[in-house]
Amino acid sequence: EAGVAQSPRYKIIEKRQSVAFWCNPISGHATLYWYQQILGQGPKLLIQFQNNGVVDDSQLPKDRFSAERLKGVDSTLKIQPAKLEDSAVYLCASSLVGRGYTEAFFGQGTRLTVV
Amino acid sequence: EDKVVQSPLSLVVHEGDTVTLNCSYEVTNFRSLLWYKQEKKAPTFLFMLTSSGIEKKSGRLSSILDKKELFSILNITATQTGDSAVYLCAAPAGGTSYGKLTFGQGTILTVHP
């Protein structure tokens, strides 16, 4: 079974530029998450989708970050304009929908460096 | 706001040593606690704990939850260099959504030959 796919693996941009990340979840997983992991910290949830609807985006800096999940499958996360503090690993995860906890599977992440 | 705190933040041991990693939590509507191993970038699932005092075991790794004192420990016996990683604990959000995880800051484990 294929895992969660993310691209690119690495990205270096200058501050004030824009960047986009792509995620393809495991087939059949209705729930998709984007996490931001700053060096030395645990991942922090940015946004959670169920199918193509947003479940939770309370920690997404909406003035510069946006995310969409058209057709309830692939998702893109965009930052525009980027700031130095956005340097982090961006992790995408997906899970099935269930009555209890269903394991979230993580992709390899995209390491963003803003210079 | 849910909070998960891990200690120590880093640990350096030699092969064969036993290590204990700690995780304390303050979570509204607590349901379970999860442990992940993160090598390079992708966290991989280790354990889910829901009941106090029941040890979960997988090979040389074991974990237990204390819901009265609000903490969990992860033990690794006879450590190997392949155990070097960041170990994360996390708690799913309460309410109807299990998916949103609040992570601790992680413990960086380094095992020297």
Side-chain angles (χ1 to χ4, degrees):
Chain A
E1 178 183 275
V4 177
Q6 290 188 246
S7 68
R9 296 291 298 274
Y10 304 91
K11 190 76 177 176
I12 301 174
I13 62 171
E14 295 183 350
K15 59 184 179 184
R16 292 187 290 273
Q17 286 187 320
S18 61
V19 65
F21 313 126
W22 174 81
C23 172
N24 180 240
I26 292 172
S27 178
H29 281 195
T31 307
L32 184 147
Y33 317 84
W34 283 101
Y35 285 86
Q36 179 194 56
Q37 187 173 21
I38 293 171
L39 187 65
Q41 299 181 19
K44 181 185 82 172
L45 181 74
L46 292 175
I47 189 166
Q48 176 183 349
F49 291 96
Q50 186 163 313
N51 297 308
N52 59 351
V54 175
V55 174
D56 187 334
D57 64 356
S58 57
Q59 298 190 89
L60 186 74
K62 298 181 186 65
D63 58 333
R64 298 185 299 107
F65 286 64
S66 64
E68 61 182 10
R69 191 182 184 197
L70 299 176
K71 300 181 183 177
V73 181
D74 293 4
S75 177
T76 56
L77 176 70
K78 296 179 182 177
I79 308 175
Q80 181 179 12
K83 292 185 175 182
L84 296 176
E85 59 260 37
D86 298 332
S87 294
V89 174
Y90 290 84
L91 294 163
C92 178
S94 70
S95 68
L96 294 167
V97 174
R99 291 179 64 83
Y101 178 75
T102 56
E103 181 184 344
F105 294 84
F106 286 83
Q108 288 294 316
T110 297
R111 184 178 300 279
L112 173 67
T113 303
V114 183
V115 298
Chain B
E1 185 178 317
D2 294 345
K3 191 175 177 184
V4 177
V5 177
Q6 293 184 245
S7 65
L9 294 181
S10 66
L11 199 51
V12 180
V13 301
H14 287 93
E15 273 192 320
D17 289 349
T18 294
V19 297
T20 298
L21 310 182
N22 303 294
C23 175
S24 64
Y25 61 89
E26 294 175 27
V27 175
T28 305
N29 298 321
F30 177 82
R31 298 188 187 201
S32 60
L33 192 113
L34 311 174
W35 283 95
Y36 284 85
K37 179 181 182 181
Q38 186 174 29
E39 297 172 279
K40 296 181 182 177
K41 286 186 286 186
T44 53
F45 175 78
L46 294 174
F47 296 113
M48 181 172 78
L49 304 159
T50 55
S51 301
S52 268
I54 298 175
E55 185 182 59
K56 291 257 179 129
K57 201 168 169 65
S58 176
R60 295 176 294 103
L61 277 67
S62 63
S63 186
I64 198 160
L65 177 68
D66 185 328
K67 290 167 77 173
K68 183 179 176 185
E69 300 297 330
L70 308 182
F71 78 90
S72 173
I73 60 171
L74 174 69
N75 281 319
I76 308 175
T77 59
T79 52
Q80 302 171 358
T81 55
D83 295 327
S84 296
V86 177
Y87 290 84
L88 296 162
C89 71
T96 58
S97 169
Y98 267 93
K100 175 181 176 179
L101 295 174
T102 299
F103 282 89
Q105 65 272 60
T107 294
I108 302 171
L109 175 64
T110 304
V111 182
H112 288 308

